[in-house]
C-alpha cells in the first residue's frame, strides 16, 4: 500500500521525515525555542517464539532510529501492544506480561519509562512502539556530512531475519533436507540465539561513541539491507560527489551457508532485510579504528570497518565477491546475559 | 487486555501519562530546557462510510487530546493507516486516498504537516494518528485547578456513536421496526450528518479560547461518556473538596428518542461513549458565558453550560432527570462546509 500512499501525497503529506531533515527519525525544529523534536514509530509482528526476548527486540528496534541520529537520551517511550484475537486467555496471560517485561527491561537500559498503548484487535499479535526525544542541536547528529576517504563501520552482523526463518525449517521436511547436510540442528539453535541476542542489543553505546569519534553520518540497517540503507544514506549527503563502497559483509555463523543452499541470494547482495540491525556509520579511518576498539572494550562486541567513501555519483555499491566475515559466536556472552535470556 | 497490562505494570511501565502529569496527553518536562513534550496516540476502525469525512474525524479525534490540554500548536502529526486485508485493490485505490485527503484537510487547519505511517496487516481497516507538541509552560493548561463555583462548559453535543449505530439499523428490519414510528429515514440521515460534522470539527478554537477565558481545567469527551470523563477530571484536581455536578445533556436531534426506544440508557446516564467529542471545561461562570458567546461568534457553533463545581468529595454526578437539550441542526453549516463534505 505504501506506493498508493506515496501517489497520493502532496504538500502537507509525506512519508519522509518532516521539515525536510532527518533520515531515520522525524526532526522538527520547535519555533521560539532552541530544541528539536525527534520521533520515530514502528510496529510489526513477533518474529521469535520467546516473548521476553521479543519484547527486548521490539524496544531495541524502535529506539534504534533515534540512536542512528546520535540521540542518547529518550524522553518518551510508548509500547504499542495487542494480543492476537486467536490467542487463548491462558496464552495471553503468559505471553503478554513477558512481552511487556522484555520491552521494559530494554527500556530501563535507556533510562526511560514506558507508557502502554493498546493496539486494535488483530488476528496477529501486534507489537511496536513510539520513541521521542527533545534535543538541543548538539545532542543529535544530522546524517549528512560524509567525507571523501571516510571509513564505513557496521556495529552488528547481518542475517537476523534469515536466522529466524531457517530455524522454522527444522520442522519442514522439504526445507530441512536442503540444509541438513550443511548444518546441524544445534547450529541453527545457536544461530537463532546469536541473532536474537544481536537484535535485543541496544545501539545506545554506538550512539554515545558517535559523538566521541565525531561520526559524519549514520543510519541503522533494517528492512532494506545494508546496501539499501547505505544507498539511502549516501543520497542524504551534502557532498554529492561521493559514493559508499561496501567491501565486507559480517554475518552470523552459518547464516551464509544456509542462505546459499536455499537460493537466498539477497544476503550476499547486501539486500537482506534485518530486524533491529546495527548502525552504519561514516567517520575518519582513524576514528573508525578507535570506535571499533572502544565498543569492544565497553560491550565485548565486535564492530567492523565494512567499506569506505570514495569519489562517485551519490550511490552505494557492493564490490564484486565481497569478503564474508563470520561473526564469532561467543557463548560467554550468553552466560553473562543469562538473566536476560 | 488492558486489565492484564495493568496487572503487569511496575515502576517503569504505566498506562497513565508519564512523569505523573497530564490527563489526556503525556506531559514530559525536558531536562535542561524550559520546554515540555506533550504527546498522544490513538487509533481505531472507521465508523462511518464516507472515507474523506472519516479521515477528518480521525485527525480531529487524535489532536483533540492535545487541545484538551490547551495546546494550540501541533508540531508533529502522524497518520497511522492500513487498508483492510479484505479490501479489493479497487476499493483500496478509492478509499485510501480519500482517507488521507480527509486527514490532511483537517491537519491543514491546525497548520501541521502529516507524516504517513503504515500500520500492519489487519482484516479491519486501521486508522489513527500520533500528535506531538513541544510547549513552554504557558502554552498548555494543566487540568487541575477547578474552583468551587466554576461553571462546566461542553463544546459539542452528545450522541456521536449512537448516531453512527442507528443509521445502520435502517437496513436491519428487526431493529428498524423499533424506531420507524419515532423517526423517519430522513431524520436518521440528518442525525448521521450532524454527528459526522460534529466529529470532524476540531476543538482548536475551544483550545484557543481556554487561554483567553482562563480555563481552570479541561478534558475531552470520548470513550467514557460525559460523566465518565467528568469523573476522571475531578479526580485530577488539586482541590479535593469539590465535586462536578452535571445538570444538562445537550444531544443531537432525535438521538435521545431512538436511544430510549432501543433501551440504550447510557445516553441519559451520561455514560454513552463518544468519538471526537467536545471539550468539557471548568471556568468562572462569567468567563463561561463569554466563552460560549465567543465560540458562537467565531464558529457559529453552540457551547453549553452543562453543570457547576460544588462542594463535595472528588466525584462527578449527574442530577436525577437531567435536562436534555436538543442541539440545533443547522443546514446552513452543511452548505457552508459543502466543499469539505
Amino acid at each position: 500500500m505504501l506506493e498508493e500512499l506515496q501517489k497520493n501525497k502532496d504538500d502537507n503529506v509525506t512519508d519522509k521525515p518532516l521539515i525536510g531533515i532527518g533520515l531515520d527519525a522525524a526532526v522538527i525544529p520547535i519555533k521560539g525555542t532552541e530544541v528539536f523534536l525527534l520521533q520515530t514509530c514502528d510496529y510489526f509482528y513477533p518474529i521469535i517464539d520467546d516473548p521476553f526476548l521479543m519484547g527486548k527486540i521490539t524496544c531495541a528496534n524502535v529506539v534504534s532510529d533515534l540512536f542512528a541520529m546520535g540521540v542518547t537520551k529518550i524522553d518518551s517511550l510508548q509500547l504499542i501492544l495487542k494480543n492476537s484475537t486467536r490467542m487463548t486467555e491462558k496464552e495471553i496471560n503468559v505471553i503478554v506480561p513477558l512481552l511487556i517485561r522484555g520491552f521494559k527491561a530494554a527500556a530501563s537500559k535507556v533510562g526511560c519509562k514506558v507508557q502502554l498503548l493498546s493496539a486494535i484487535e488483530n488476528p496477529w499479535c501486534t507489537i511496536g512502539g513510539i520513541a521521542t526525544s527533545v534535543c538541543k542541536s548538539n545532542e543529535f547528529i544530522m546524517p549528512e556530512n560524509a567525507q571523501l576517504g571516510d571509513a564505513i563501520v557496521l556495529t552488528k552482523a547481518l542475517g537476523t531475519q534469515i536466522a529466524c526463518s531457517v530455524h522454522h525449517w527444522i520442522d519442514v521436511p522439504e526445507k530441512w533436507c536442503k540444509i541438513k547436510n550443511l548444518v546441524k540442528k544445534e547450529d541453527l539453535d545457536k544461530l537463532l540465539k546469536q541473532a536474537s541476542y544481536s537484535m535485543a542489543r541496544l545501539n545506545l553505546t554506538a550512539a554515545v561513541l558517535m559523538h566521541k569519534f565525531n561520526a559524519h553520518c549514520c543510519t541503522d540497517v533494517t528492512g532494506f539491507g545494508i546496501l539499501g540503507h547505505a544507498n539511502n544514506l549516501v543520497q542524504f549527503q551534502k557532498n554529492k560527489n561521493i559514493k559508499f563502497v561496501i567491501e565486507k559483509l559480517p554475518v552470523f555463523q552459518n547464516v551464509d551457508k544456509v542462505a546459499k543452499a536455499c537460493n537466498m541470494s539477497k544476503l550476499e547482495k547486501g539486500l537482506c532485510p534485518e530486524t533491529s540491525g546495527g548502525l552504519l556509520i561514516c567517520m575518519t579511518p582513524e576514528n573508525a579504528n578507535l570506535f571499533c576498539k572502544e565498543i569492544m572494550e565497553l560491550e565485548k562486541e565486535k564492530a567492523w570497518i565494512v567499506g569506505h567513501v570514495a569519489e562517485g555519483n551519490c550511490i552505494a555499491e557492493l564490490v564484486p565477491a565481497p569478503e564474508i566475515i563470520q561473526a564469532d559466536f561467543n557463548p560467554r556472552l550468553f552466560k553473562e546475559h543469562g538473566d536476560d535470556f
Side-chain angles (χ1 to χ4, degrees), chain A residues 147-149 239-245 308-315 317:
Chain A
Q147 306 292 322
L148 193 63
N239 185 343
K240 298 294 173 204
N241 301 311
I242 51 175
K243 66 177 178 181
F244 289 178
V245 183
H308 68 282
V309 178
E311 270 183 61
N313 200 9
C314 236
I315 54 150
E317 62 184 32

Side-chain angles (χ1 to χ4, degrees), chain A residues 47-49 53 160 163-165 167 187-197 199 334:
Chain A
I47 53 168
I48 60 166
D49 288 336
L53 195 45
T160 49
C164 296
S165 296
H167 198 262
D187 293 332
L188 293 189
D189 287 344
K190 269 189 194 172
L191 172 56
L192 182 65
K193 262 197 175 175
Q194 191 181 15
S196 300
Y197 170 70
M199 290 188 285
F334 289 94

Side-chain angles (χ1 to χ4, degrees), chain A residues 4 22 24 90 97 106 123 128 203 240 265 267-268 286 303 310 325:
Chain A
E4 277 313 308
D24 289 300
K90 195 173 171 186
N203 285 324
K240 298 294 173 204
S265 61
L267 185 69
E268 54 187 322
E286 192 185 5
I325 304 171

Side-chain angles (χ1 to χ4, degrees), chain A residues 206-248:
Chain A
V208 171
L209 295 180
M210 280 169 63
H211 291 269
K212 179 166 182 181
F213 296 111
N214 190 23
H216 294 150
C217 67
C218 175
T219 191
D220 66 335
V221 178
T222 54
F224 299 112
I226 182 172
L227 190 62
H229 287 284
N231 209 34
N232 291 343
L233 187 60
V234 75
Q235 287 171 32
F236 209 79
Q237 301 310 302
K238 285 184 185 163
N239 185 343
K240 298 294 173 204
N241 301 311
I242 51 175
K243 66 177 178 181
F244 289 178
V245 183
I246 307 292
E247 294 140 350
K248 297 178 184 179

Side-chain angles (χ1 to χ4, degrees), chain A residues 19 21 23 147 152 218 241 269 285 290 332:
Chain A
I19 325 285
I21 52 174
L23 180 66
Q147 306 292 322
I152 303 174
C218 175
N241 301 311
K269 289 180 182 161
L290 293 170
R332 190 180 51 80

Side-chain angles (χ1 to χ4, degrees), chain A residues 49 51-52 87 90-100 125:
Chain A
D49 288 336
F52 179 77
M87 279 158 76
K90 195 173 171 186
E91 284 171 335
I92 293 170
N93 289 346
V94 172
I95 293 167
V96 167
L98 284 168
L99 285 168
I100 295 173
C125 186

Side-chain angles (χ1 to χ4, degrees), chain A residues 127-177:
Chain A
I127 186 159
I130 304 169
T132 309
S133 184
V134 179
C135 293
K136 295 181 185 168
S137 61
N138 64 344
E139 292 175 325
F140 63 97
I141 296 167
M142 285 303 295
E144 60 191 18
N145 294 307
Q147 306 292 322
L148 193 63
D150 273 354
I152 303 174
V153 169
L154 178 69
T155 67
K156 289 184 185 179
L158 304 167
T160 49
Q161 291 197 10
I162 297 181
C164 296
S165 296
V166 296
H167 198 262
H168 294 294
W169 296 355
I170 296 171
D171 305 317
V172 184
E174 65 271 27
K175 299 228 175 187
W176 178 232
C177 72

